[in-house]
Amino acid sequence: MKASRLAAVTAVAGTAVLAVSSPAFAHVSVQPEGAAAKGGYAVIDFKVPNERDNASTTKVEVNFPADHPLASVMPQPMAGWKIEVTKAKLAKPMEMHGEKISEAVTKVTWTAEDKGVEPGYFQKFPLSVGALPENTDELVFKAIQTYSDKEVVRWIEVQQKGQEEPENPAPTLALSAATDDHHGTAAAAEDTAAKTETTASDDSGSTGGSDTTARVLGVVGIVVGAAGVAYGVLAGRRRSTGSAA
């Protein structure tokens, strides 16, 4: 009886150790480089780990949300990868920088031209995107990962509030609060203008002070000069009086 209980306890303990020591299940994710503010532009990285021991990741497809289309999507060139940007007509044109946009990016595909992402490695796939929507707190991108042995993993399950993370969660980008300047240039221009105005005011004050100082010194010079002349005249008269005596 004691032996059976000891065996059971040992088995449970062993299972617990395995559970604790096993690595967390990695998945395709997306993170911004810096901030991803509503209404602005951002560089975002899709992090793709290789979860297989005997196959490489040779293709990555990222599908963009149709309910929040992005008109501007620019991939960064990557050695060893062919990049294809797919666009489609919008059911409802959107306006950006005063111009109407009738199409938006629906998918970006990276296809390996060499070894791809080998076992034990991960790869970041960067994109410059915008303008980010202002009427949502997050963007969900559905990704498809293809391995060299033709296995396909679909990271397309949307996380539901209050529920556990799904087995194959879709990459989700959290958006931060909108800033006064979406591009980061208007604020800088205002700061520059303010600094210029302040500098101009300081320069004007310095010029005014210099003028005042010059005038004071001029008056002092005139007074000193006049005093010198008067002293000279008086000294001359005294010499003349002394000689006559």
Side-chain angles (χ1 to χ4, degrees), residues 27-47 62-65 67-70 72-73 125-143 155 157-159 165 169-177:
H27 51 263
V28 175
S29 60
V30 59
Q31 290 292 334
E33 293 183 8
K38 298 178 182 180
Y41 289 74
V43 174
I44 59 177
D45 294 325
F46 288 89
K47 182 180 178 182
V62 173
N63 294 277
F64 284 70
D67 54 343
H68 297 292
L70 299 176
S72 177
V73 176
F125 296 83
L127 292 174
S128 174
V129 299
L132 297 173
E134 299 184 61
N135 57 349
T136 183
D137 293 327
E138 61 183 23
L139 289 177
V140 178
F141 301 87
K142 295 184 178 182
W155 305 96
E157 298 178 57
V158 180
Q159 174 70 52
E165 183 180 63
T172 302
L173 177 67
L175 302 181
S176 58

Side-chain angles (χ1 to χ4, degrees), residues 212-242:
T212 302
T213 303
R215 290 174 184 173
V216 171
L217 291 176
V219 172
V220 171
I222 293 173
V223 172
V224 173
V229 171
Y231 178 80
V233 171
L234 290 175
R237 288 180 178 179
R238 288 176 181 175
R239 290 194 188 97
S240 298
T241 304

Side-chain angles (χ1 to χ4, degrees), residues 95-171:
E95 187 172 329
M96 187 172 68
H97 304 312
E99 297 182 3
K100 287 188 176 181
I101 307 298
S102 59
E103 64 178 12
V105 172
T106 57
K107 182 173 66 174
V108 177
T109 305
W110 292 267
T111 305
E113 297 179 320
D114 196 359
K115 297 180 180 179
V117 186
E118 298 182 86
Y121 292 88
F122 74 90
Q123 179 72 55
K124 287 184 179 181
F125 296 83
L127 292 174
S128 174
V129 299
L132 297 173
E134 299 184 61
N135 57 349
T136 183
D137 293 327
E138 61 183 23
L139 289 177
V140 178
F141 301 87
K142 295 184 178 182
I144 300 176
Q145 182 178 12
T146 303
Y147 288 91
S148 55
D149 59 0
K150 307 304 179 182
E151 180 188 4
V152 176
V153 180
R154 302 178 184 277
W155 305 96
I156 61 174
E157 298 178 57
V158 180
Q159 174 70 52
Q160 302 298 328
K161 292 183 179 180
Q163 297 185 12
E164 294 183 358
E165 183 180 63
E167 183 177 355
N168 294 320

Side-chain angles (χ1 to χ4, degrees), residues 180-195:
D180 293 335
D181 173 49
H182 295 159
H183 292 276
T185 55
E190 290 177 3
D191 290 342
T192 302
K195 290 179 181 178

